[in-house]
Amino acid sequence: MFKRILKKPITAIFLALIFGFIAGALVLWAAGYNPFQAYAIMFKSVFSKPKYLAQILVNAAPIILTGLAVAFAYNTGLFNIGAEGQYIAGTIIAAMLGYFWKLPPFIHPLVIMVIAFLAGGLLAALAGWLKNRFGIHEVISTIMLNWVVFYINNFIANQPGVQVFGSVHSHEIRDSASLLFFSKDYLRSEAGRAFLADKPFLRDILRTALSWGIPIAILLAILYWFILKKTRLGYEMRAVGLNKDAAEFAGISVPKNVFLSMFISGGAAGLAGAVVVLSYGLYISILGAHEGYGWDGISVSLIAQANPLACIFSGILFAFLRFGGQLVQASIQAPSEIINIMIGAIVLAIAVSSLLPRLADYLARKEQSNA
């Protein structure tokens, strides 16, 4: 029984969480803070108000999507480390089309998200083409493309007509492009205020930027899982990732599947950028450093062990830890870096979780030798 438990993926995740919280507790204690008090504040505060739970979902949506980008590629034998650049490409598309295009509500954000998906997908597919054509490893090309898109963003955000005079950011998107459940104009109107007057729970939630972003992220996670596990395309992609020579011998086109895998992977990261801008980002800024959504996606994917469905839960966990850490910092002035240490410890524990099945096999052999 114990050996079977050790081999289950959920065991590795559970033990990694325990290890992460222990590591965080040790750091808190070494820094002179009471870890029990800090964790109590984290959990009590997060669940004390509906708007805090809503904010966690708001924060989780883009990192679920960038986590999906990394997880999908990993399942096909590729390491898309360019989710950050693909995310930025999505923000550029959303900010530009959200301001310069005039389209009806509902249609406007839908068109933007489709084009943002295409932008992120084509950027990642470029790395796939470079791998097919010149043998350039996708890790190298995607890292370099991150910086290319980073500086393209700064160039665009600095252009006359795009940049708001006297600022370092572009114009805000039109209200018709918003992904919010209720538009800002409606909430400010007399009808909106009357609608929320006797609904304190809903009113508290709508103080955040809760939008269609989280349902979109969940639906895409289900779709990506279905593609990988239930379709011929997903089977071919996974076959190429496992052994490209055997796949090619079986008649599977390796270049086509590498290209398509990177395109589908990058599309999720591009969509993440659109979700942020259309929900609460509203514009692009001249960046001094990467925003980190793509890098967070790598951690989300690792915690989920590259399972698209598990990315939903690991993304929410990641957002919970980050937001809870902010509440702890505000309450007892504990440094927020402790949360990053916890996340790092969890990812490290997941990385070495492959030892658990080996431990189970060792215990089984020992039992047999003693029998």
Side-chain angles (χ1 to χ4, degrees):
M1 178 66 177
F2 177 69
K3 296 188 290 294
R4 287 201 300 271
I5 292 174
L6 283 178
K7 289 188 175 183
K8 292 183 179 296
I10 191 65
T11 303
I13 296 172
F14 181 72
L15 293 176
L17 289 174
I18 293 175
F19 180 70
F21 276 98
I22 290 173
L26 291 174
V27 174
L28 283 165
W29 175 76
Y33 299 96
N34 184 334
F36 297 103
Q37 179 191 16
Y39 288 153
I41 290 171
M42 177 185 292
F43 284 92
K44 287 181 180 178
S45 298
V46 164
F47 292 100
S48 65
K49 294 181 180 180
K51 69 177 181 180
Y52 289 160
L53 294 174
Q55 188 60 51
I56 288 171
L57 295 179
V58 170
N59 297 346
I63 56 176
I64 290 172
L65 290 168
T66 54
L68 282 175
V70 179
F72 191 92
Y74 186 82
N75 275 282
T76 62
L78 299 166
F79 192 16
N80 178 11
I81 205 170
E84 180 73 14
Q86 295 141 25
Y87 162 85
I88 295 173
T91 65
I92 296 171
I93 293 296
M96 294 300 97
L97 302 188
Y99 174 70
F100 288 108
W101 280 16
K102 297 179 181 180
L103 293 173
F106 304 111
I107 295 177
H108 200 173
L110 181 60
V111 170
I112 290 172
M113 286 189 293
V114 169
I115 297 176
F117 185 97
L118 292 173
L122 290 173
L123 184 65
L126 174 59
W129 179 80
L130 291 171
K131 183 182 181 75
N132 291 331
R133 183 69 177 83
F134 302 107
I136 301 172
H137 199 282
E138 69 275 6
V139 169
I140 302 299
S141 56
T142 50
I143 286 177
M144 295 299 101
L145 286 171
N146 282 344
W147 288 105
V148 171
V149 183
F150 177 91
Y151 287 111
I152 289 175
N153 173 89
N154 288 358
F155 173 78
I156 292 174
N158 198 37
Q159 293 303 300
V162 173
Q163 184 182 23
V164 175
F165 182 76
S167 75
V168 293
H169 60 78
S170 66
H171 291 276
E172 289 191 6
I173 62 169
R174 298 176 184 275
D175 200 47
S176 61
S178 174
L179 273 178
L180 296 175
F181 288 133
F182 295 94
S183 71
K184 292 182 291 183
D185 289 344
Y186 174 75
L187 294 177
R188 296 190 191 111
S189 69
E190 289 186 14
R193 288 196 295 269
F195 173 72
L196 296 173
D198 58 346
K199 299 176 178 66
F201 180 83
L202 184 59
R203 189 168 61 246
D204 196 43
I205 287 177
L206 293 180
R207 288 175 181 169
T208 68
L210 191 62
S211 71
W212 290 103
I214 191 69
I216 289 168
I218 292 171
L219 288 174
L220 196 70
I222 295 170
L223 177 62
Y224 275 23
W225 174 85
F226 183 82
I227 290 172
L228 284 170
K229 302 297 184 182
K230 302 295 182 180
T231 67
R232 177 178 176 177
L233 176 63
Y235 171 79
E236 290 184 353
M237 288 178 177
R238 287 187 289 117
V240 170
L242 289 170
N243 190 321
K244 67 177 183 179
D245 295 325
E248 192 169 28
F249 183 77
I252 297 172
S253 172
V254 172
K256 182 191 80 173
N257 280 281
V258 168
F259 185 88
L260 284 176
S261 175
M262 289 299 290
F263 175 80
I264 295 171
S265 168
L271 184 58
V275 163
V276 168
V277 171
L278 301 183
S279 298
Y280 56 88
L282 305 182
Y283 51 74
I284 56 171
S285 301
I286 298 173
L287 300 172
H290 284 298
E291 295 184 79
Y293 286 101
W295 309 119
D296 289 345
I298 295 174
S299 298
V300 166
S301 176
L302 288 172
I303 293 172
Q305 296 188 324
N307 183 317
L309 295 180
C311 282
I312 300 170
F313 303 101
S314 62
I316 293 173
L317 169 67
F318 200 99
F320 166 78
L321 292 174
R322 280 280 173 85
F323 187 70
Q326 293 173 11
L327 297 177
V328 170
Q329 183 182 29
S331 180
I332 62 174
Q333 286 73 54
S336 60
E337 286 76 14
I338 289 172
I339 299 301
N340 293 330
I341 293 172
M342 287 178 59
I343 292 169
I346 292 170
V347 172
L348 176 63
I350 291 291
V352 300
S353 63
S354 60
L355 297 176
L356 293 178
R358 297 181 187 178
L359 176 61
D361 293 338
Y362 169 77
L363 293 174
R365 290 195 299 270
K366 191 172 182 181
E367 282 184 4
Q368 291 175 357
S369 62
N370 293 336

